[in-house]
Amino acid sequence: MHCLRSTTSQLAINRSLKHLSLRARPSLLFFSISSTKRRTSLLSFPVLPPQSIMASHTVGYPRMGPKRELKFALESFWDGKSSAEDLQKVSADLRASIWKQMADAGIKYIPSNTFSYYDQMLDTTAMLGAVPSRYNWTGGEIGFDTYFSMARGNATVPAMEMTKWFDTNYHFIVPELGPETKFTYASHKAVNEYKEAKALGVGTVPVLIGPVSYLLLSKPAKGVEKTFSLLSLLDKIIPVYKEVVTELKAAGASWIQFDEPTLVLDLDSHKLEAFTKAYSALESSVSGLNVLIETYFADVPADAYKTLTSLKAVTGFGFDLVRGAKTIDLIKGGFPSGKYLFAGVIDGRNIWADNLAASLSTLQALEGIVGKDKLVVSSSCSLLHTAVDLVNEPKLDREIKSWLAFAAQKVVEVNALAKALAGQKDEAFFSANAAALASRKSSPRVTNAAVQKAAAALRGSDHRRATNVSGRLDAQQKKLNLPILPTTTIGSFPQTIELRKIRREYKAKKVSEEEYVKTIKEEISKVVKLQEELDIDVLVHGEPERNDMVEYFGEQLSGFAFTANGWVQSYGSRCVKPPIIYGDVSRPKAMTVFWSSMAQSMTKRPMKGMLTGPVTILNWSFVRNDQPRFETTYQIALAIKEEVEDLEKAGISVIQIDEAALREGLPLRKSEQAFYLEWAVHSFRITNCGVQDTTQIHTHMCYSHFNDIIHSIIDMDADVITIENSRSDEKLLSVFREGVKYGAGIGPGVYDIHSPRIPSMEEIAERINKMLAVLETNILWVNPDCGLKTRKYGEVKPALTHMVNAAKLLRTQLASAK
């Protein structure tokens, strides 16, 4: 399968340009803008009178645009179909429209510098000039060539590592830092965007990734991984932050927001001391400015809270009070006098309408602690992690739509609460909110008693297969007769414009079912034939019928709803459209058996049945918040279990149940991780506990740090696991070097599919040899990092050819060495 997805076309970028009404022509320098005087003649935002602006704030806002304008602009630029000027023009229009939207809604503290062409951590790397030497950057303002080479790689060098942003499905580019890294102020993006907003009549709060979180989220450069302390670089990056702060102050900024999300993690005293050191060093530079430190995604531990609230240079503290409700107790226990509390009561991670009455009650209690003039209503985190606007969902079920709030609606909720605190409560708005909550609670479509009973009954067993993995692998090898170092792919093959068109037309009933099936069958046949020509051992059907690895299944399960434009950025230009789980989940009928059986009939080689696992479906959906997440996962697991058993009955001997997002859902606090891993791993085992020993169960994971949960991965009891390895510099292999024994089949990825770069056979062979140094020959599989959906056939064919040839080369060498 493929865990990150989407595409582009020139028509789409043209539509995007027409869709936006605002216009600007920034200069060709990356992150630089031209004079905004002529732009203000086209557009000037009204400055709201002081009495209409309440104490309200948002941590950040989605960048892609309501119709994914930035995505299409980026991909058009990368494909050489549009210019840098075109890309910057679309970007400036998006920023202006977002600032206007927040200003019109009455938000007082509007963020800037939350826009990014790829990723905010990469933007910070650019700001600091921390470019790895392999990109041959020679100084000056960092331009698109260097920036996108770091993000995506190029023909000669690989991209920087990409991994999950905390426990979200957003991916960031991991900085590579070492003792030789030189820091210099190399991107003026934060200052330029502040000036850009100011010229449009909007005062903003520039947002920077804080210096300590930047370092803690980085990785040591190659060669110093075990000896180098990233925090030793603090003194070297602070001077650059001082330069940025000085320029922002000179430009007229009165507030600066530093995002320090690592404060919610379990940090030792040395790491906590780094925050005191960093903000003490910045104290003279921020004099005269208001400084907000923003945290999110969990509660702040007591020792971190004490460190944070003791920082003299800081004016305000932002807390996630949705996922970090325990922080409220810390605030009640003591909050520094005269400081601002930015109370994140509106959920930035989900799409349900807020319980405004409950949030208002929480805010009123906090108001009594910090003071009426020091309380600011905010989102729990950046709204980047939710969909953009319900206005773009005209076909969404009316009842369900009334239960929801996307980013645009959450901005309104923030301001409604701020107005209510100020004595200007909109009674009609609050009444409508209460009615929607009551409707959702009483709706018969939410509850299915039979499903709840079946899920509750699961808790009495651990659902393990009867035979241990070594015995199963022996039985499977007798049936499958695979060579050593068997080759396979992860599931998806390139999704062409024609494929997307036929799916779209079939869904709109513009083509018949017969024509649709004929087209998809032809594509499957093409993919099967290609794999046979390449001599791949275990085949996939390429998933041409699937729009998305979660949405495809959700559309065939009860309890799910779907949006037309509920896109959320996953990384770079890649967006996902999470389904909405609003009720109990069950499987009305088989979902994949027809296509998998068709594909298997085209070849004598094993054909993998491709499913998405219950934990990944959960973590990549907007999940109901009226019952524990594990209960919803157990319901999904039962539905997938039925599908697995139907595939086996249909003659499919290899079934892959992807759990790409299992690690992603791991709670950030160690005290909560064991419980999550227990029910997440159990849910996976439920899906396949009833199959025969000869049926081989695969799973796939990607783009997270897995070493700390390797024992839970082993406990999943899959027969084969394929796992991302190449883009993360083969960090996965280190766990095996440290003595962890793994007896099941394993396929660490041999090349990065999220870069257009094509690896050579020699490079792949070298990777396989590194794996053979720590893994037994009889358990090692050869496969890419992830699915091939986002790549072009011109990249896929040579890369897979090199992969297969590398496996054959190693087989020959191993045979001759006996």
Side-chain angles (χ1 to χ4, degrees):
M1 287 193 178
H2 195 283
C3 51
L4 305 164
R5 51 268 194 205
S6 68
T7 189
T8 187
S9 69
Q10 185 60 38
L11 287 175
I13 180 62
N14 290 340
R15 287 197 301 268
S16 298
L17 290 167
K18 291 177 182 176
H19 173 76
L20 291 166
S21 59
L22 311 176
R23 287 293 174 264
R25 285 187 66 83
S27 73
L28 288 177
L29 261 183
F30 176 51
F31 298 146
S32 180
I33 61 170
S34 61
S35 171
T36 52
K37 291 181 179 178
R38 55 194 167 89
R39 226 184 356 219
T40 53
S41 68
L42 296 173
L43 171 70
S44 183
F45 298 156
V47 178
L48 298 174
Q51 65 270 24
S52 70
I53 302 178
M54 306 302 162
S56 52
H57 166 257
T58 60
V59 179
Y61 199 83
R63 311 158 179 153
M64 283 290 128
K67 298 290 179 67
R68 293 181 292 163
E69 290 83 359
L70 180 58
K71 166 196 167 55
F72 296 122
L74 282 166
E75 293 179 356
S76 179
F77 172 69
W78 293 336
D79 287 343
K81 297 176 181 177
S82 58
S83 67
E85 286 183 325
D86 292 329
L87 173 57
Q88 291 176 313
K89 185 176 181 180
V90 171
S91 303
D93 290 349
L94 281 170
R95 291 192 295 269
S97 66
I98 291 167
W99 292 327
K100 181 181 187 301
Q101 178 184 349
M102 291 201 208
D104 288 349
I107 299 296
K108 181 176 182 179
Y109 301 102
I110 298 171
S112 62
N113 197 41
T114 55
F115 173 87
S116 177
Y117 286 103
Y118 207 94
D119 163 55
Q120 68 267 22
M121 281 289 285
L122 183 61
D123 293 350
T124 309
T125 294
M127 181 186 83
L128 295 168
V131 181
S133 59
R134 65 179 178 274
Y135 299 107
N136 296 319
W137 176 64
T138 56
E141 189 82 0
I142 289 177
F144 279 148
D145 284 349
T146 300
Y147 182 83
F148 288 131
S149 289
M150 290 192 288
R152 307 176 71 236
N154 57 42
T156 58
V157 293
M160 295 169 69
E161 181 183 347
M162 180 171 69
T163 196
K164 298 290 177 71
W165 180 245
F166 293 81
D167 58 348
T168 75
N169 188 31
Y170 178 81
H171 300 66
F172 74 96
I173 302 298
V174 183
E176 302 170 14
L177 308 176
E180 306 304 318
T181 304
K182 305 296 183 186
F183 298 98
T184 182
Y185 188 11
S187 168
H188 293 68
K189 175 180 179 292
V191 177
N192 289 338
E193 289 187 13
Y194 173 80
K195 291 178 178 178
E196 186 179 346
K198 185 178 181 181
L200 296 170
V202 181
T204 61
V205 179
V207 179
L208 303 173
I209 297 291
V212 183
S213 288
Y214 176 79
L215 291 177
L216 292 179
L217 293 170
S218 300
K219 70 173 186 178
K222 271 189 176 181
V224 296
E225 293 93 340
K226 294 184 178 181
T227 59
F228 184 66
S229 169
L230 290 163
L231 288 178
S232 68
L233 296 173
L234 191 58
D235 290 338
K236 294 183 178 181
I237 67 171
I238 289 296
V240 180
Y241 274 90
K242 286 182 176 180
E243 287 187 73
V244 179
V245 168
T246 300
E247 283 197 9
L248 286 169
K249 189 192 299 187
S254 58
W255 280 84
I256 295 180
Q257 176 179 317
F258 291 97
D259 282 8
E260 292 282 12
T262 55
L263 278 163
V264 306
L265 303 177
D266 296 304
L267 302 179
D268 59 32
S269 58
H270 173 65
K271 291 174 181 175
L272 289 175
E273 287 167 5
F275 290 94
T276 302
K277 180 179 180 181
Y279 288 93
S280 295
L282 286 171
E283 191 168 350
S284 60
S285 298
V286 300
S287 178
L289 287 171
N290 293 297
V291 173
L292 166 63
I293 291 187
E294 187 66 51
T295 69
Y296 36 79
F297 299 150
D299 58 278
V300 176
D303 52 353
Y305 179 83
K306 182 178 179 181
T307 297
L308 175 60
T309 54
S310 299
L311 298 177
K312 295 179 181 179
V314 179
T315 316
F317 309 97
F319 299 112
D320 181 338
L321 301 183
V322 177
R323 292 185 171 230
K326 293 178 184 177
T327 305
I328 294 175
D329 293 332
L330 296 174
I331 296 169
K332 290 178 179 178
F335 190 80
S337 176
K339 303 285 186 174
Y340 287 82
L341 171 61
F342 285 68
V345 294
I346 297 298
D347 191 353
R349 294 278 297 272
N350 218 326
I351 42 69
W352 303 106
D354 185 58
N355 185 331
L356 292 177
S359 292
L360 182 58
S361 177
T362 297
L363 291 165
Q364 288 169 336
L366 292 171
E367 189 178 57
I369 299 168
V370 305
K372 192 177 187 68
D373 62 334
K374 299 298 181 184
L375 183 63
V376 180
V377 183
S378 185
S379 57
S380 65
C381 62
S382 173
L383 302 178
L384 171 74
H385 307 288
T386 191
V388 179
D389 196 344
L390 272 174
V391 170
N392 297 319
E393 303 297 337
K395 295 182 180 180
L396 190 62
D397 179 285
R398 186 172 180 178
E399 181 184 30
I400 292 176
K401 192 173 182 179
S402 73
W403 304 341
L404 307 179
F406 289 1
Q409 288 69 47
K410 289 177 184 293
V411 169
V412 174
E413 287 181 333
V414 165
N415 206 53
L417 287 168
K419 287 176 67 177
L421 273 180
Q424 300 176 34
K425 183 178 179 183
D426 186 334
E427 295 292 351
F429 188 75
F430 272 70
S431 295
N433 172 259
L437 295 177
S439 162
R440 182 182 168 204
K441 187 174 182 178
S442 62
S443 176
R445 66 198 301 183
V446 171
T447 306
N448 183 322
V451 171
Q452 292 194 350
K453 183 178 179 181
L458 293 170
R459 299 174 200 175
S461 169
D462 64 1
H463 296 90
R464 293 184 184 276
R465 295 170 74 179
T467 306
N468 64 30
V469 68
S470 61
R472 299 196 309 264
L473 289 174
D474 287 343
Q476 292 156 15
Q477 179 58 18
K478 288 176 184 176
K479 182 175 182 178
L480 299 173
N481 192 30
L482 297 172
I484 60 168
L485 305 181
T487 54
T488 190
T489 64
I490 304 305
S492 60
F493 265 65
Q495 296 257 327
T496 62
I497 294 172
E498 293 76 20
L499 272 180
R500 295 177 188 276
K501 180 182 178 184
I502 191 71
R503 284 204 309 264
R504 190 167 56 247
E505 290 180 343
Y506 176 63
K507 200 168 187 177
K509 299 182 179 179
K510 293 181 179 179
V511 298
S512 67
E513 182 173 1
E514 182 181 5
E515 184 178 351
Y516 171 71
V517 170
K518 179 176 178 289
T519 303
I520 299 298
K521 183 178 180 180
E522 289 172 352
E523 180 68 18
I524 292 173
S525 178
K526 182 179 78 173
V527 169
V528 170
K529 184 178 180 182
L530 172 61
Q531 292 172 92
E532 288 184 328
E533 290 172 351
L534 293 171
D535 204 16
I536 292 174
D537 299 303
V538 176
L539 311 189
V540 298
H541 76 289
E543 305 176 14
E545 79 284 9
R546 304 186 188 185
N547 48 358
D548 174 272
M549 65 180 285
V550 173
E551 186 175 27
Y552 176 78
F553 290 94
E555 286 175 340
Q556 300 181 78
L557 295 168
S558 64
F560 283 76
F562 304 90
T563 64
N565 292 293
W567 298 98
V568 179
Q569 185 182 16
S570 182
Y571 75 101
S573 69
R574 308 303 178 193
C575 300
V576 294
K577 189 153 58 74
I580 298 166
I581 305 177
Y582 66 84
D584 291 333
V585 178
S586 62
R587 186 195 74 146
K589 61 182 181 180
M591 301 179 285
T592 66
V593 175
F594 175 77
W595 299 114
S596 292
S597 299
M598 176 190 291
Q600 183 64 81
S601 71
M602 297 175 181
T603 182
K604 293 181 180 180
R605 301 187 184 208
M607 174 64 62
K608 284 197 280 191
M610 301 300 304
L611 305 174
T612 302
V615 182
T616 295
I617 290 177
L618 180 93
N619 285 333
W620 286 353
S621 298
F622 290 125
V623 184
R624 57 189 295 189
N625 58 359
D626 59 345
Q627 70 177 15
R629 290 169 70 87
F630 71 84
E631 291 186 11
T632 301
T633 312
Y634 282 157
Q635 293 176 4
I636 303 169
L638 283 174
I640 300 300
K641 180 177 187 289
E642 293 173 4
E643 188 70 14
V644 168
E645 292 170 2
D646 280 351
L647 282 168
E648 184 183 53
K649 289 173 186 174
I652 305 300
S653 298
V654 182
I655 301 171
Q656 183 169 307
I657 308 166
D658 279 4
E659 284 296 13
L662 187 140
R663 175 62 173 78
E664 176 183 310
L666 188 71
L668 300 177
R669 305 295 295 282
K670 291 178 182 177
S671 61
E672 301 168 5
Q673 292 176 358
F675 177 64
Y676 166 80
L677 289 169
E678 179 185 348
W679 62 254
V681 169
H682 185 196
S683 296
F684 177 82
R685 290 201 306 263
I686 288 167
T687 65
N688 60 87
C689 62
V691 300
Q692 301 295 316
D693 288 351
T694 52
T695 297
Q696 190 167 84
I697 299 297
H698 289 223
T699 191
H700 170 66
M701 296 182 177
C702 58
Y703 296 101
S704 288
H705 298 297
F706 298 107
N707 293 17
D708 57 341
I709 64 164
I710 190 65
H711 294 289
S712 293
I713 292 173
I714 293 171
D715 199 39
M716 292 170 71
D717 199 27
D719 296 311
V720 179
I721 179 170
T722 53
I723 196 163
E724 180 271 326
N725 172 66
S726 59
R727 184 153 183 172
S728 58
D729 289 332
E730 301 165 343
K731 282 191 293 190
L732 172 69
L733 300 185
S734 66
V735 76
F736 301 112
R737 294 189 188 101
E738 292 163 7
V740 171
K741 299 298 181 185
Y742 193 76
I746 184 167
V750 297
Y751 79 91
D752 175 24
I753 64 84
H754 290 111
S755 170
R757 180 174 170 271
I758 299 166
S760 67
M761 183 192 75
E762 292 75 15
E763 178 183 335
I764 294 175
E766 182 182 356
R767 287 190 183 277
I768 298 172
N769 268 320
K770 289 180 181 178
M771 297 170 192
L772 288 170
V774 294
L775 293 166
E776 297 293 332
T777 306
N778 63 336
I779 67 170
L780 186 61
W781 285 63
V782 177
N783 47 262
D785 264 353
C786 201
L788 305 170
K789 179 179 179 180
T790 60
R791 301 269 56 90
K792 297 177 175 64
Y793 273 105
E795 300 159 347
V796 166
K797 289 179 182 178
L800 290 181
T801 298
H802 296 167
M803 183 188 82
V804 172
N805 288 341
K808 289 180 176 180
L809 174 66
L810 268 295
R811 288 172 195 162
T812 301
Q813 291 177 355
L814 289 168
S816 63
K818 286 184 178 179

